[in-house]
Amino acid sequence: MKKHAEINATPVCQVRMQAISDSMSLLAGKWKFHILGTLIEGSRLGFMDLLREIDGIGTKMLSKELQDLEMNNLISRTVMNTKPITVEYSITAYGKTLSPLIDEMAKWGVNYRKAVYGKNKK
Amino acid sequence: MKKHAEINATPVCQVRMQAISDSMSLLAGKWKFHILGTLIEGSRLGFMDLLREIDGIGTKMLSKELQDLEMNNLISRTVMNTKPITVEYSITAYGKTLSPLIDEMAKWGVNYRKAVYGKNKK
DNA sequence: GAAAGTAGTTTCCTATTGGAAACTATCTAA
DNA sequence: TTAGATAGTTTCCAATAGGAAACTACTTTC
């Protein structure tokens, strides 16, 4: 009959929970992982390239999410000196540090699919 | 001047993207990681225990998120034969497979904090 | 000069998310 | 018999997320 938090009240857990909230706030939404994943695979892509690569996204969301990611220094935007003007998006060194997390996310999802598929087969 | 997707059109990438979407759909929202993290730390907690451990959550969200997680077999709910009736929530074996992902998420968030803090100090 | 490619922005709309507060229902201890 | 603990559900509301379509603006090619 405990009346107060015991587990999450420890400093270690508080830091951990805060860290998870931080990560999630940067990566939340329907498209961030797709954009980052695409830029990790094929660096230096233009706006229209990304629009074609990321199935289902529209110009508004792509534009907004790219701005978010750039603000958080996960991707960089470079206006090229061409005519007509083109823009190159690429992943930053800091953005690349997300690779293990993205890989973990993909790995778990693949196994989840297998688990669900396996159950139905039985 | 490519007119069609090239990177994400490869089967490997399609599977990867689908897997990430799967993971995200199970783990999206403000509270899922907090609930899972709490149940991994301290197994066998009642509804009110969780309400106290997870700072800021309300009964409605806790109830709804617990149902979601149970449906996906990540946590289990056991009604105990006590009076008054109590309920025990715990992480499932399958839920535990999320540990590496949660750890990665926490690790990245901690480093992100450090990076931002370090920059401000200069 | 019309079409198509570059890179977005703006507007309007709907759907989902999440929170506060009140409520149900059962049981126990003072 | 009233307060407080168990475990939720329901209602009402505000904020956010996300999508479709139209529009801007500039340049090149046919």
Side-chain angles (χ1 to χ4, degrees), chain A residues 101 104-105 108, chain B residues 27 33 97-106:
Chain A
L101 177 49
E104 233 4 281
M105 191 74 91
W108 194 87
Chain B
L27 301 172
F33 275 103
T97 65
L98 280 168
S99 280
L101 176 49
I102 296 175
D103 287 346
E104 241 350 290
M105 191 72 92

Side-chain angles (χ1 to χ4, degrees), chain B residues 7 27 44 46 99-100 107:
Chain B
I7 302 158
L27 301 172
R44 308 216 147 270
S99 280
K107 205 170 98 187

Side-chain angles (χ1 to χ4, degrees), chain A residues 17-36:
Chain A
M17 290 298 180
Q18 183 62 252
I20 289 171
S21 293
D22 287 352
S23 304
M24 284 301 281
S25 75
L26 296 190
L27 302 173
K30 197 173 171 182
W31 302 111
K32 299 236 173 66
F33 276 103
H34 289 81
I35 296 172
L36 290 168

Side-chain angles (χ1 to χ4, degrees), chain B residues 46-48 52 59-60 63 67 77 85-87 89:
Chain B
F47 186 84
M48 294 307 286
R52 281 185 289 258
T59 56
K60 193 191 81 169
S63 172
Q67 283 171 24
R77 176 180 182 275
I85 146 184
T86 51
V87 173
Y89 290 95

Side-chain angles (χ1 to χ4, degrees), chain B residues 49-98:
Chain B
D49 294 331
L50 287 165
L51 201 60
R52 281 185 289 258
E53 289 289 346
I54 300 164
D55 196 46
I57 200 171
T59 56
K60 193 191 81 169
M61 288 309 295
L62 181 54
S63 172
K64 193 212 130 211
E65 298 292 68
L66 287 170
Q67 283 171 24
D68 282 4
L69 293 170
E70 196 199 352
M71 253 191 293
N72 288 315
N73 196 33
L74 300 177
I75 66 169
S76 70
R77 176 180 182 275
T78 315
V79 179
M80 305 305 284
N81 192 15
T82 54
K83 288 189 174 179
I85 146 184
T86 51
V87 173
E88 278 186 4
Y89 290 95
S90 56
I91 193 102
T92 62
Y94 199 72
K96 274 183 197 155
T97 65
L98 280 168

Side-chain angles (χ1 to χ4, degrees), chain A residues 88-106:
Chain A
E88 279 186 3
Y89 290 95
S90 57
I91 193 101
T92 61
Y94 200 72
K96 274 184 197 153
T97 66
L98 280 168
S99 280
L101 177 49
I102 295 176
D103 287 347
E104 233 4 281
M105 191 74 91

